[in-house]
Amino acid sequence: MLWQQLANGIAIGSVYALISLGLTMVYGILRILHVAHAGIYALGAYVGLLSFRLVGNFWLSLVVGMAGAAVAGYVVERFLYTPLLHLPRIAPLIVSIGLFTAMEEAFRIVAGPHTLAYNARVGLGDLSIGGFHLTETQILILFVTFAVLIFLWAFLTKTRTGLAMRACAQDPETTSSFGVNVSRIIAINFLIGSAMAGAAGVLIGVYDNQVWPTMGSIPAYKALAIVVLGGLGNIPGTVLASIVVGLAETFFIGVLAIPFPRDAVAFVAMILVLMFKPYGLLGKA
Amino acid sequence: MISGYLITILIIIVIYAMLAHSLNIITGHAGQISLGHAAFFGIGAYTSAMLYTEAGFPFWISIPLAAVVAGIVGALLGIPCLRVRDDFLAITTMGINFVVEAIFLYIPFFGGAMGIGGINLPKWFGREMTKPEYFILILVVFFFLLLLDRRMGHSWIGLAWASIREDEQAAGAMGVDVVRFKVLAFILGSAIAGLAGGFYAHFLTFIMPQNFGFGQSIVVLSMVVFGGIGTRWGPIVGAIILGILPEVSRPIMEYRTLIYGVLLLGMMRFQPGGLLGSGSILSRTLQRLSITYGSKGESR
Amino acid sequence: MKSRGFLFSFFVLAVLFLAGATYGQDIPIGFFAPITGPAAADGASAKNAVELGLKEVNDAGGINGKKINLIIYDDRLNPQEAVAIANKLIEKDKVIGVVSGSYSGPTRVTAPLFQKAGIPMVAGYAVHPDVTWDPKEKKPNDFCFRNGFLGEIEGAAAAEFAVKNLKAKKVSLIFMDNDFGRAISSGFADRAEKLGSKVLTKQMYKFPGEKDFRPYLTRIKEGNPDLIFAAGYYNEAASIVRQAKELGISSKIMGEEGFDSPKFLEISGSSAEGVVIATNLDRDDPRPLVQNFLKNYRKAYNEDADMVGASSYDAFMILVNAVKKAGTDPKSIQKALLETKDYNGLTGKISRFVQGEVVKPVQIQVVKGGKFHRLGVVDNPEVITPPTKQ
């Protein structure tokens, strides 16, 4: 059973990673707590589902979902966040919360309050090694997350734009004085982060076979706890924190069987870590 | 004969105004974003509820104790919290909200998912208070709190807070004990929130852990921000407007929450100082009006 | 000039009077449900079903010639709003009766208000015991009635069937952490143990929002129970059932009324086959009342009815029936409700009310061929009779 729980924990941790990465990237570059990121995650699921209903192909729906989310992220950045950058940080935070509330309601009004089924099959089949049983969707999640992480790593370390992005996160003024178009970098940052959230939305939609208007509620705050746990703005930290939380939740419930609300685990972990490391697991001042 | 419906709305608004005011002390005076303020609201509500139903304490004792307990918890949580900075603090307050809600939900001593019921209105002169009388009571209490706030604002505490809000590092360099004043704001803010929670419990007669979760924290924060953080009347105005909104928009009930979200979004996007903050359309209009009418005596 | 003005105002007044008079001819009945917010799906179901009932009654001429004016409010699953709504219904809308299409929170907080005002309220499916019982005064709220089952009773009935008919000797429980989940699971566990079965594990999950049940199910699988009793609403139900199949669990799965929704069937797909549930709606009930409701609901809303809708419809009809018998005086309506005997409801035959709670058999349905069908009924009086509290 332990192996199965391990698989469960890593699978859900991977999805957390996909959502949280976008959040930490946005924070890294704009220092904004982008709560509406969870709304974009849900949008990705809805757009993906819609395209799946029209075309019937999972991979296509994944791409469309990611694209839809990316566009939404770009719009939010351009019209809502960037104009408010000169204000105290509570302003974009409240804007984000207002936007998230409005998005959830929009989903309910447009697509209905009921849960919709996202019945995509990829035809991979399950994998069984001894007591270790990975379902098809779990394999899919691991595969996509792995691909995305490789891409991100390559992008950030091997390309000029990626390098510029890391520089921007550290010091936007100096970076722009070097001739880098900071505004363009910010846009790309949002595009990538939002696309990942969209992917997470599609994957969860398929994993649970459910898409519903308030599906972003829990990820909205859980992802915040995760990025703080890992270190705000720190990408490897976020990945680590995501897996830690995924495993912690699974083991709490499935192995230790302690009756404790699953969603509070991330926050408890976060608070404990912050007591000893005020900047998160891998964060720096 | 004032309608019971109207009184209900008024009581809810005053409680929210008190809650928003208490958050404003933390956010506005001490400059800390708290995303989990409903936790203290809940601690006050549960304290009062349990003292009343389990220990048989009368309302007049359970309410002040609610404030005291909430204030103590605020102090305990405030001190380690302040080791953490800015955005980390904001999310930590959110975390506290979740943990407190979980405690109420999962520990049977606090009633668990069933909540606590049978919390009645206070008794005085040998009979139960009527709703209009309850309204007057909490209004009077709130009035005193505002007076207190005004006095503090004019005192050295208020000056210290103002300096911390403007520039924390400079204030520290000038010799202001930043940590001490922040903790003071935390304690005061949580205590008043606890008081509001006690009033809430006795009014609703029944409380559930879900009433004090993250959603409630956001509602209160929105009121403060909408009205204008750091302004004296802003949070109260915010509480009144956002408190009346559900009632007024009942005819369009399908779209209420959407309107709420858009309102919040729009307000912060275009008038980040809130309705009464400096630079807002409302305050500028009021200024212009006062200039026009103020100079009426001089011209012509 | 003067006489013309006088005539005109007389005319206006006459029109207003007639309009007011005809309006005053309507019977005002209140209704509240979580139409927006986190429970919007159930609120929509409840509203749709009650509106269907309203149309049926009004199209047939109303009650003794007068039409019903149904006043609908959205409580957003928020107790404060519910309190405001209750006050509005009592004072402004002056209703003679109320139907609750909402959850425990709003229903429970408004029950004392309706009780004090002497306005009868019938709750469709809210489960908290305090709806019909005042915990401080320790006496029943005798103006409040509940159409749905108490959690403990539904759980006990499910256990009765599970042990006696399905021969389950080892059971595992998984339930949500709200009042319903706790009540129904403790009702099930107590009865199961009384009948000689062994409860292997009891796991509680956060509601709402939990979607990933694999950690819970993996642990359940270890013990290899004969039957898993799962409590949840249709989202959770569908997830539990699907993920159980994914993980290769072969134990029988038994659910409760929360499973009773076409959405559950849609989302779980083939994994729902063979799942058994305890509920109040019997799809195979030959009575025209049931079959017509199912047919008309489908025709009007293009989807199948669920437990929430059926229960709310029934609550409405119970109230209407009492008004038909007793007239529009709230006290008389309450008396008629208290004297209910063998009422033929959509969700079962109510023998009588005990302190506001129904004495009604629990239906056991099974999913066969992708649809709910009758599997059995639990009508053992020992199990289905609500306790009389002191």
Side-chain angles (χ1 to χ4, degrees), chain A residues 241-266:
Chain A
S242 307
I243 302 292
V244 164
V245 169
L247 287 171
E249 286 179 359
T250 307
F251 274 80
F252 246 84
I253 296 164
V255 181
L256 299 174
I258 297 176
F260 190 74
R262 182 187 186 141
D263 304 324
V265 170

Side-chain angles (χ1 to χ4, degrees), chain A residues 5 115 209-210 212 254 262, chain C residues 211-212 215 235 239 242 267:
Chain A
Q5 296 290 30
T115 307
N209 195 28
Q210 290 174 45
W212 73 103
R262 182 187 186 141
Chain C
K211 295 285 172 229
D212 180 29
N235 283 329
S239 294
R242 277 186 105 228
I267 300 170

Side-chain angles (χ1 to χ4, degrees), chain B residues 9-28:
Chain B
I9 304 298
L10 288 174
I11 292 177
I12 291 178
I13 288 181
V14 175
I15 292 177
Y16 268 120
M18 204 182 286
L19 197 55
H21 174 76
S22 71
L23 179 58
N24 195 30
I25 295 175
I26 298 175
T27 333

Side-chain angles (χ1 to χ4, degrees), chain A residues 27 79 89 108 228 267 275, chain B residues 83 87 91 95 254 269 272:
Chain A
Y27 183 83
F79 295 104
R89 283 212 293 279
R108 180 189 65 81
V228 169
F267 280 104
M275 291 297 108
Chain B
R83 281 219 296 149
D87 299 320
I91 299 181
E254 273 289 298
R269 171 70 180 81

Side-chain angles (χ1 to χ4, degrees), chain A residues 160-176:
Chain A
R160 291 185 54 176
T161 322
L163 188 61
M165 195 176 289
R166 282 159 61 207
C168 268
Q170 277 205 306
D171 191 343
E173 276 144 14
T174 318
T175 315
S176 82

Side-chain angles (χ1 to χ4, degrees), chain C residues 153-170:
Chain C
I153 295 199
E154 193 170 316
E160 178 89 354
F161 193 83
V163 177
K164 288 196 181 156
N165 300 61
L166 299 174
K167 311 280 189 263
K169 294 203 183 44
K170 297 182 291 174

Side-chain angles (χ1 to χ4, degrees), chain C residues 145-287:
Chain C
F145 300 85
R146 190 199 324 265
N147 175 47
F149 294 116
L150 275 173
E152 279 89 358
I153 295 199
E154 193 170 316
E160 178 89 354
F161 193 83
V163 177
K164 288 196 181 156
N165 300 61
L166 299 174
K167 311 280 189 263
K169 294 203 183 44
K170 297 182 291 174
V171 294
S172 278
L173 280 77
I174 176 169
F175 54 98
M176 58 280 208
D177 61 7
N178 66 3
D179 51 3
F180 184 52
R182 291 178 197 237
I184 202 173
S185 61
S186 79
F188 186 94
D190 289 345
R191 187 79 191 159
E193 284 178 336
K194 196 155 174 215
L195 294 173
S197 281
K198 190 164 182 306
V199 174
L200 297 175
T201 58
K202 273 169 117 161
Q203 294 182 93
M204 192 163 60
Y205 63 87
K206 179 105 195 319
F207 176 81
E210 183 63 274
K211 295 285 172 229
D212 180 29
F213 292 92
R214 295 172 185 84
Y216 304 91
L217 291 168
T218 306
R219 183 160 174 264
I220 289 178
K221 189 177 175 192
E222 276 291 289
N224 199 18
D226 298 319
L227 180 134
I228 302 172
F229 182 64
Y233 299 114
Y234 65 78
N235 283 329
E236 293 75 35
S239 294
I240 290 172
V241 159
R242 277 186 105 228
Q243 290 164 21
K245 185 151 182 229
E246 256 179 43
L247 292 171
I249 291 177
S250 54
S251 323
K252 188 120 194 105
I253 299 180
M254 185 175 198
E256 28 77 331
E257 59 181 44
F259 280 51
D260 193 332
S261 161
K263 282 274 147 197
F264 162 68
L265 297 169
E266 183 190 327
I267 300 170
S268 27
S270 58
S271 11
E273 201 68 14
V275 168
V276 176
I277 65 170
T279 183
N280 57 18
L281 184 59
D282 179 6
R283 294 336 191 264
D284 289 336
D285 191 331
R287 291 179 296 156

Side-chain angles (χ1 to χ4, degrees), chain B residues 74-110:
Chain B
L76 289 173
L77 292 175
I79 299 168
C81 252
L82 294 171
R83 281 219 296 149
V84 171
R85 322 240 58 247
D86 286 336
D87 299 320
F88 287 85
L89 175 61
I91 299 181
T92 305
T93 55
M94 194 197 304
I96 290 172
N97 201 168
F98 275 95
V99 172
V100 168
E101 188 192 349
I103 290 175
F104 289 143
L105 191 56
Y106 277 64
I107 298 184
F109 177 66
F110 293 110

